[in-house]
Amino acid sequence: MAADWAWWIGLLLGAVPLLVLAVWHSNDAGHCAAFALKRWRHHRGATRPRLPPGHMGLPFVGESLWLLWYYKFARRPGPGPDGFVDARRRRYYGGAARAGDVGVYRTHLFGSPTVLVCSPAANKFVLNSSQDGAFGIRWPAPELVGLSCLVNVEGRQHARLRGFVLAAINRPASLRAIAEVVQPRVVAALRSWADAKGTVSAATEIKKVTFENICKMFASMDPSPVTDMMDGWFAGLLAGLRAFPIDFPGTAYRHARACRRKLDAVFREEVQRRRRRREGTVDDATSRDLMSGLMEMEDEQGKKLCDDEVVDNIVSLIVAGYESTSNAMMWAVYHLAKSPHALHKLREENSVVSRDNKNGGFITLDDIPTMKYTAKVVEETIRVANVAPMVHRVAHRDVEYRGYTIPKGWRVVVWLRSLHTDARYYDDPLSFNPDRWDKPPKPGTYQVFGGGPRVCAGNMLARLQLSIMLHHLAVGYKWELLNPDAEVTYLPHSKPVDGAAMSFSRLDSV
């Protein structure tokens, strides 16, 4: 009897590990076998293609749970999200120098076989190859941001829309006008924080004022009950963009689609109202905002955008314009509160700018080039914040890179943040040190706005808004984090778990 039990226990102890190993390797083995069978027969007598090093994880879920673990639980002072990439570097190349590491790995994420790209050269290769059709857009979901928006269109339509957006928000004349529009609301918000509240959640309050300014800049919308509802709808839309696209009742994706329909209704009504006013030749301030500019765009044949195209683009541009910028502003306030030396230098510079100011306390675009240290704080904030940690693409054909094949149809995740947190490129990379910008970064290691033909069109607008906020904070206010050791969460965007709660008041000299 004892011998029978021993036999069964031995079988169980031997079979379970073997079964676990078989399940763990089955997904990777299956994809590797399918790749080999499909391609090796076409490469007889030549160098046969090979997949990048890596592992595909469990069936169906791949390594998504492993990535989620790094994002949600491996918080500072642990490895954080970059531990996912670092684990692959150690496993497949090892050593501090990582000799031979080309920054390309295979994995399985978000329900799809994936190639993870995470080196300056590899990132540049993928982002620049988008213009020759090798890679296309994989995220965000077209149903949520719009089939005809700047993110999703290709070729001439993309070039035309991008050229217009660049002219509307990044050229000097546009930035000059934007600086005038956003400052009154920023100044009023800071006063209200100090006078009426005293203690604020930086993440919440900065997001609110940034959303109000974006609505004003892009669609001439002032705060109202409608914009309050729109704020909630945009929040629901953003949650759905980051969720798995399962269209079932109760899911974030289903809620996001409902929010998108409500936003469509508001903006479509506004477009039609403007068209009626144009027929009556009525000119007002709205004729000079981004929405009206989209309505007046023409292609080579004189054809204008239809209502769907205008709505798709205004929604997607607002999404892109306020969430990332407000997150960066929150991190600037957070890091300056923990960096008294940097804050002191920022106050000194901006006090000089304020003293010489002849515009009633508002800075102009002409002041920005003189604010050298402020520019360093802006760049360091954007680097540390990593508000766009990754970019999603899909391979439209088999693509060769440094001896490896990125298969057609596979997702390609360009891991931007790994460059900005890598000690090979930045000394003590997780520390906030604006003085590191006394020297330019190594070529290809600073990709906070992406790269290639789809580099973020609003990068100068984001820098301008940060500079304006920093100026008025530095010359007029003081603040202190209530919980300087709060944990950092990385989903959906990185931020302290308490939203950077802080005491906020006017400087004694104000």
Side-chain angles (χ1 to χ4, degrees), residues 273-346:
R273 183 189 69 81
R274 294 185 184 206
R275 293 200 191 282
R276 290 193 296 270
R277 289 178 68 87
R278 297 288 170 80
E279 292 173 0
T281 65
V282 177
D283 186 27
D284 59 18
T286 65
S287 64
R288 298 182 293 275
D289 62 21
L290 184 62
M291 176 181 277
S292 288
L294 288 167
M295 293 171 62
E296 294 302 316
M297 275 187 63
E298 294 182 354
D299 61 16
E300 295 83 353
Q301 289 76 41
K303 181 182 177 182
K304 294 183 178 181
L305 299 181
C306 68
D307 288 3
D308 286 343
E309 290 173 312
V310 173
V311 171
D312 279 353
N313 279 282
I314 201 68
V315 169
S316 65
L317 288 168
I318 290 177
V319 167
Y322 91 96
E323 178 78 4
S324 57
T325 302
S326 64
N327 189 261
M329 287 181 182
M330 181 272 297
W331 278 116
V333 176
Y334 173 90
H335 285 299
L336 287 169
K338 301 181 74 170
S339 308
H341 176 67
L343 180 56
H344 176 71
K345 294 178 72 172
L346 185 72

Side-chain angles (χ1 to χ4, degrees), residues 19-174:
L19 180 61
V20 170
L21 283 173
V23 171
W24 173 246
H25 290 290
S26 62
N27 192 34
D28 191 60
H31 280 93
C32 289
F35 173 82
L37 289 173
K38 187 174 181 179
R39 290 165 178 83
W40 282 17
R41 61 186 177 185
H42 300 298
H43 293 79
R44 294 178 182 176
T47 302
R48 292 179 175 178
R50 56 176 178 158
L51 288 172
H55 195 276
M56 311 290 279
L58 295 169
F60 305 112
V61 297
E63 293 191 301
S64 297
L65 296 178
W66 191 234
L67 176 66
L68 187 64
W69 185 86
Y70 275 107
Y71 258 94
K72 290 189 70 70
F73 302 111
R75 297 172 179 167
R76 295 178 185 176
D82 301 302
F84 187 77
V85 173
D86 291 339
R88 278 144 189 77
R89 286 175 172 156
R90 290 193 301 269
R91 179 175 180 180
Y92 298 110
Y93 295 99
R98 299 166 183 161
D101 180 8
V102 299
V104 177
Y105 305 92
R106 75 173 181 271
T107 180
H108 193 287
L109 297 174
F110 317 114
S112 171
T114 300
V115 171
L116 184 68
V117 178
C118 53
S119 74
N123 288 12
K124 181 179 179 181
F125 172 78
V126 172
L127 295 174
N128 284 337
S129 296
S130 297
Q131 59 189 334
D132 63 13
F135 300 99
I137 299 298
R138 184 61 179 260
W139 182 92
E143 297 81 6
L144 297 183
V145 295
L147 292 170
S148 57
C149 75
L150 180 62
V151 174
N152 286 313
V153 294
E154 303 279 356
R156 290 185 178 180
Q157 177 73 340
H158 175 264
R160 186 164 63 93
L161 277 170
R162 179 176 173 80
F164 167 76
V165 172
L166 285 171
I169 63 176
N170 264 3
R171 66 182 180 184
S174 301

Side-chain angles (χ1 to χ4, degrees), residues 71 76 79 81-82 85-86 89 98 117-120 123-124 127 335 378-391 414-433 436-437 441-451 455 463 494:
Y71 258 94
R76 295 178 185 176
D82 301 302
V85 173
D86 291 339
R89 286 175 172 156
R98 299 166 183 161
V117 178
C118 53
S119 74
N123 288 12
K124 181 179 179 181
L127 295 174
H335 285 299
V378 168
E379 300 305 327
E380 182 68 349
T381 296
I382 297 171
R383 182 194 70 83
V384 175
N386 281 297
V387 294
M390 64 186 76
V391 171
V414 184
W415 196 278
L416 301 175
R417 66 163 288 136
S418 66
L419 305 181
H420 313 134
T421 58
D422 194 321
R424 291 178 295 176
Y425 311 132
Y426 299 94
D427 294 334
D428 193 11
L430 298 183
S431 69
F432 182 78
N433 177 22
R436 75 170 77 245
W437 292 91
K442 296 177 181 179
T445 63
Y446 189 57
Q447 299 177 355
V448 290
F449 292 106
V455 66
R463 289 181 167 106
S494 60

Side-chain angles (χ1 to χ4, degrees), residues 168-402:
I169 63 176
N170 264 3
R171 66 182 180 184
S174 301
L175 292 171
R176 191 179 305 277
I178 288 170
E180 296 176 2
V181 169
V182 303
Q183 285 188 80
R185 206 175 306 278
V186 169
V187 170
L190 296 179
R191 287 174 179 167
S192 71
W193 301 355
D195 297 342
K197 297 181 179 179
T199 299
V200 301
S201 166
T204 300
E205 297 300 330
I206 291 174
K207 183 177 178 181
K208 178 181 178 181
V209 68
T210 306
F211 179 72
E212 290 176 354
N213 269 329
I214 290 291
C215 286
K216 182 66 174 180
M217 284 187 288
F218 289 4
S220 298
M221 289 184 171
D222 290 311
S224 68
V226 173
T227 59
D228 288 343
M229 290 188 292
M230 287 170 57
D231 193 7
W233 297 336
F234 272 110
L237 180 62
L238 281 161
L241 287 174
R242 304 180 186 112
F244 201 80
I246 301 176
D247 192 11
F248 290 143
T251 63
Y253 186 79
R254 172 65 68 88
H255 178 62
R257 292 191 67 179
C259 290
R260 175 59 203 257
R261 288 193 293 271
K262 293 173 182 177
L263 290 167
D264 278 358
V266 171
F267 285 114
R268 194 176 302 279
E269 181 180 349
E270 176 64 14
V271 169
Q272 292 170 356
R273 183 189 69 81
R274 294 185 184 206
R275 293 200 191 282
R276 290 193 296 270
R277 289 178 68 87
R278 297 288 170 80
E279 292 173 0
T281 65
V282 177
D283 186 27
D284 59 18
T286 65
S287 64
R288 298 182 293 275
D289 62 21
L290 184 62
M291 176 181 277
S292 288
L294 288 167
M295 293 171 62
E296 294 302 316
M297 275 187 63
E298 294 182 354
D299 61 16
E300 295 83 353
Q301 289 76 41
K303 181 182 177 182
K304 294 183 178 181
L305 299 181
C306 68
D307 288 3
D308 286 343
E309 290 173 312
V310 173
V311 171
D312 279 353
N313 279 282
I314 201 68
V315 169
S316 65
L317 288 168
I318 290 177
V319 167
Y322 91 96
E323 178 78 4
S324 57
T325 302
S326 64
N327 189 261
M329 287 181 182
M330 181 272 297
W331 278 116
V333 176
Y334 173 90
H335 285 299
L336 287 169
K338 301 181 74 170
S339 308
H341 176 67
L343 180 56
H344 176 71
K345 294 178 72 172
L346 185 72
R347 289 196 197 282
E348 283 189 327
E349 176 178 88
N350 282 273
S351 294
V352 173
V353 174
S354 182
R355 184 189 63 207
D356 298 337
N357 187 285
K358 297 180 177 62
N359 295 285
F362 291 170
I363 60 173
T364 69
L365 194 65
D366 297 327
D367 294 316
I368 300 298
T370 70
M371 299 161 60
K372 304 295 186 183
Y373 191 76
T374 303
K376 296 176 187 178
V377 173
V378 168
E379 300 305 327
E380 182 68 349
T381 296
I382 297 171
R383 182 194 70 83
V384 175
N386 281 297
V387 294
M390 64 186 76
V391 171
H392 297 254
R393 296 287 187 265
V394 61
H396 286 327
R397 60 173 183 265
D398 284 358
V399 180
E400 301 298 320
Y401 179 73
R402 303 283 294 274

